[in-house]
Amino acid sequence: MGIILGFLCLFCFCLLITKALTRKLHLKKLDKFLMKAHKPVCATFIIICILHIIFVLPVLKTRHMYVFLTGIATVVVMILLIVLCHIIKQDRSLKIRWHRILSAVMLLCIIGHIVIYYVDFMNYQTKIKDIQISEINTSNIKDGNYIGEYDAGYIYAKVEVSIKDGQIDNINLLEHHNERGTPAEKIIDEIIIKQQINVDTVSGATNSSMVIEKAVENALENASTTIQ
């Protein structure tokens, strides 16, 4: 939902900045229409931006810092534009000049926000594709608790694996940052029952399943390294 709202924000912003082109290109009918639609589109833009922020707040910690910063910068410039429209009323030329400057800055912030989000998402996809699950022989691992984690960007898992008599006795999921991957957490029971890491992933939560499996593998690998 957050992504859809983000694209709706972009659509509204494009409508607003199109107004600057219609006048220069002498598209009178379109310019007149956009002039009438300017205030309703502005109001819609602000409302959708607020909804976008509300929907993305729960997943901000799994996003790159610059996605957050460019988003904040966009909101700050938007607020400045709103304030500008209410403060500068007498000097029209000054108002238009600052309106254009802030609109250009806002456009750059939006472009940066989209580009950084896209790069961040592609990195996440690459990390998921690169996951290879290897089985670890637990028979030689000493009894104890071992920590393992795996960070794929959008999904992060940290586990504590308990080994007893050369077998996986328990797995405690310490952290699991995800969006819709909570159902994948039941994969832990399958790993314990089958005594193997590479078990069937949970339908609808494949990526989270793989990240949890990788965290378990890393925990057992850390245990094996400690013994050596």
Side-chain angles (χ1 to χ4, degrees):
M1 190 62 182
I3 295 175
I4 294 172
L5 289 168
F7 278 113
L8 286 175
C9 286
L10 179 62
F11 176 72
C12 289
F13 182 76
C14 289
L15 283 179
L16 293 172
I17 62 173
T18 300
K19 177 69 181 63
L21 298 173
T22 54
R23 179 164 295 183
K24 286 189 175 182
L25 296 173
H26 304 292
L27 302 172
K28 293 183 179 180
K29 289 185 178 180
L30 183 57
D31 186 62
K32 189 176 180 181
F33 169 77
L34 290 175
M35 178 63 76
K36 289 182 178 180
H38 188 77
K39 286 186 178 180
V41 172
C42 280
T44 304
F45 177 57
I46 293 168
I47 292 169
I48 294 174
C49 279
I50 293 170
L51 291 173
H52 175 64
I53 293 168
I54 292 170
F55 274 93
V56 300
L57 276 176
V59 298
L60 273 181
K61 58 186 174 184
T62 63
R63 299 295 187 265
H64 193 282
M65 179 181 66
Y66 289 121
V67 174
F68 170 73
L69 291 177
T70 50
I72 290 296
T74 302
V75 172
V76 169
V77 177
M78 180 180 70
I79 293 170
L80 288 174
L81 268 170
I82 295 169
V83 172
L84 170 75
C85 292
H86 288 84
I87 291 180
I88 306 176
K89 293 183 178 180
Q90 303 300 324
D91 194 335
R92 182 174 172 80
S93 61
L94 179 64
K95 181 178 180 178
I96 291 174
R97 183 163 63 251
W98 274 105
H99 192 282
R100 288 174 178 173
I101 292 171
L102 290 173
S103 295
V105 173
M106 192 171 178
L107 177 61
L108 290 174
C109 290
I110 291 172
I111 292 172
H113 187 65
I114 294 171
V115 170
I116 294 169
Y117 172 81
Y118 176 76
V119 172
D120 192 36
F121 180 75
M122 293 307 294
N123 288 337
Y124 157 71
Q125 292 283 67
T126 300
K127 286 181 179 179
I128 292 296
K129 288 179 181 178
D130 288 344
I131 293 178
Q132 299 291 330
I133 305 298
S134 301
E135 295 297 338
I136 305 293
N137 184 6
T138 59
S139 60
N140 296 322
I141 298 177
K142 293 181 179 179
D143 291 358
N145 300 323
Y146 302 95
I147 303 294
E149 60 185 346
Y150 188 76
D151 188 359
Y154 285 19
I155 304 172
Y156 168 80
K158 184 177 182 180
V159 298
E160 181 183 54
V161 181
S162 298
I163 299 295
K164 185 177 181 181
D165 299 328
Q167 290 191 319
I168 300 173
D169 183 58
N170 186 50
I171 298 173
N172 184 19
L173 186 59
L174 302 176
E175 291 182 57
H176 182 208
H177 302 160
N178 65 93
E179 293 182 22
R180 297 181 298 275
T182 303
E185 295 175 3
K186 63 184 180 182
I187 202 173
I188 288 172
D189 295 329
E190 284 294 307
I191 294 173
I192 296 171
I193 292 169
K194 295 183 178 180
Q195 289 296 304
Q196 64 181 50
I197 306 168
N198 197 0
V199 297
D200 292 337
T201 57
V202 177
S203 179
T206 302
N207 291 351
S208 280
S209 299
M210 294 171 66
V211 170
I212 292 172
E213 287 179 342
K214 194 64 180 178
V216 173
E217 179 193 329
N218 288 341
L220 296 177
E221 196 170 82
N222 289 339
S224 299
T225 304
T226 303
I227 293 171
Q228 292 174 3

